[in-house]
Structure formats: C-alpha cells, structure tokens
C-alpha cells in the first residue's frame, strides 16, 4: 500500500506470494454456514518480502483490478442462488407429492398448490433476469448496477424460497435426516 496516495484505493498493489515464503502462513479452515466447498481461511503475512517481479498488474492498480471483476463475481453469486432456488423447489415439490397427511398427499392441498405456483413463478422470473445478465456479460455489457441487482434479487429470493420450502416440509424440514 502506498502511504501517500491521494486516496486509499490509489495506493493498493497486488502481489503473488509463494505459499512457502518466510513469514507467510495460513490459519485454520473457517467453518461457514454456506459455500462449504470453497475453503476460507485467514492468511497471515508477517514481514513477508516479495520481489518486484511478483507484482500482479500495475503498481497502485490493485483496487481497480479487483473492482473490474466485481460484476462477474456478483453475477456468479446470483447464478448460484437462482440454481439453489430451483433445487430447493424441486426437492420440496417431490416431497409434497409423496408425503401423505389427512388421507391424501400434501400436494393435493389447494394452499400448497398455490404456494408452489407462487414459488415457481418467482423462480422463473429470477431465472429470466439472471439469463439476461448472463447475455449482457457474454458481450461485455454487464455493468456493476445490473450485477448488483442480480445478486440482490437472487439471494433475497433464495432466502424466501428456503423459508417457504421449509414450511412445506413441516416438522421434517427441520431434521437433518431429510437432507
């Protein structure tokens, strides 16, 4: 970081640091609520020295390099959340079709049919928006605002779908035995 930069963002540079470098070590793997396939750990840099040849990109351009990829990262989160919505819906639809209560399947209840229709509609609208964002990204026209909207909308819907699907599973939705 360049201490005398006009703004903090102007003084950040990115470096490639070899994992065997003296003074660098990884902390423990952190336990997260989600994204468990992606390891997350603290990284410690204590008096690590790196050669100028380890500079990644331009000097003092690190912040801009990171921001350049932000729309794509937000879109990836939106895609993941939309896919998760679809998976939760499919599992729940299968569950209510086979689960019996009061002498018939839960799916036969009109209120359940309405809830499933509401969820499916919301998921389809989200998917159409995400697909539009993917098309924009593929031609280099996805901006930060649109990517932020995709992330916001899809993650918000993911929470709503999870809550509604949990309710449709009833008490079993709270048990590990049912996934």
């Amino acid at each position: 970081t360049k201490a005398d930069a006009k703004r903090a963002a102007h003084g950040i540079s990115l470096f490639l640091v070899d994992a065997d470098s003296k003074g660098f070590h990884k902390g423990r793997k952190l336990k997260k609520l989600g994204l468990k396939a992606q390891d997350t750990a603290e990284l410690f840099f204590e008096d690590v020295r790196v050669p100028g040849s380890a500079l990644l990109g331009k000097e003092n351009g690190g912040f801009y390099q990171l921001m350049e990829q932000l729309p794509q990262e937000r879109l990836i989160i939106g895609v993941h959340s939309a896919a998760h919505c679809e998976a939760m819906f499919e599992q729940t639809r299968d569950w209510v079709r086979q689960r019996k209560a009061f002498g018939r399947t839960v799916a036969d209840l009109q209120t359940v049919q309405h809830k499933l229709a509401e969820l499916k509609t919301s998921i389809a609208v989200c998917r159409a928006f995400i697909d539009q964002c993917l098309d924009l990204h593929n031609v280099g026209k996805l901006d930060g605002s649109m990517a932020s909207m995709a992330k916001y909308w899809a993650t918000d819907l993911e929470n709503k779908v999870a809550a509604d699907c949990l309710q449709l599973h009833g008490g079993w939705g709270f048990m590990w035995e049912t996934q």
Side-chain angles (χ1 to χ4, degrees):
T1 303
K2 184 176 178 183
D4 63 344
K6 292 180 204 173
R7 296 171 152 185
H10 293 212
I12 296 173
S13 298
L14 302 178
F15 291 89
L16 297 171
V17 178
D18 191 298
D20 296 326
S21 297
K22 183 180 177 185
F24 171 76
H25 66 277
K26 295 179 194 173
R28 65 180 169 82
K29 182 178 172 186
L30 302 173
K31 294 179 182 177
K32 304 180 292 188
L33 291 175
L35 302 176
K36 294 182 181 197
Q38 299 174 2
D39 288 350
T40 301
E42 294 176 305
L43 304 177
F44 297 94
F45 301 85
E46 295 179 32
D47 298 322
V48 175
R49 298 192 58 82
V50 292
S53 61
L55 180 67
L56 181 62
K58 295 180 183 177
E59 185 176 351
N60 301 318
F63 177 79
Y64 302 102
Q65 287 172 258
L66 295 172
M67 292 304 292
E68 186 178 323
Q69 299 305 314
L70 198 53
Q72 179 174 314
E73 291 174 25
R74 288 178 173 152
L75 180 57
I76 289 168
I77 292 168
V79 168
H80 177 270
S81 293
H84 196 210
C85 287
E86 292 176 8
M88 288 186 290
F89 175 83
E90 297 297 330
Q91 287 178 1
T92 301
R93 187 181 60 192
D94 291 347
W95 171 260
V96 298
R97 285 180 174 169
Q98 63 92 22
R99 179 73 174 152
K100 293 200 181 226
F102 312 111
R104 58 185 181 167
T105 66
V106 174
D108 290 334
L109 298 169
Q110 191 174 30
T111 55
V112 170
Q113 293 171 10
H114 287 163
K115 181 53 73 176
L116 290 174
E118 174 193 326
L119 288 170
K120 185 68 174 176
T121 302
S122 296
I123 293 166
V125 170
C126 180
R127 177 66 181 267
F129 181 54
I130 294 293
D131 286 349
Q132 179 186 6
C133 290
L134 286 166
D135 289 343
L136 289 170
H137 174 68
N138 287 337
V139 295
K141 293 186 177 179
L142 180 68
D143 63 18
S145 296
M146 193 75 129
S148 292
M149 288 188 291
K151 177 185 172 186
Y152 159 73
W153 190 260
T155 56
D156 192 59
L157 181 61
E158 184 179 18
N159 285 306
K160 181 186 183 321
V161 170
D164 288 348
C165 287
L166 179 67
Q167 291 301 314
L168 289 170
H169 277 81
W172 281 108
F174 198 67
M175 303 296 165
W176 281 112
E177 287 83 6
T178 56
Q179 295 189 32

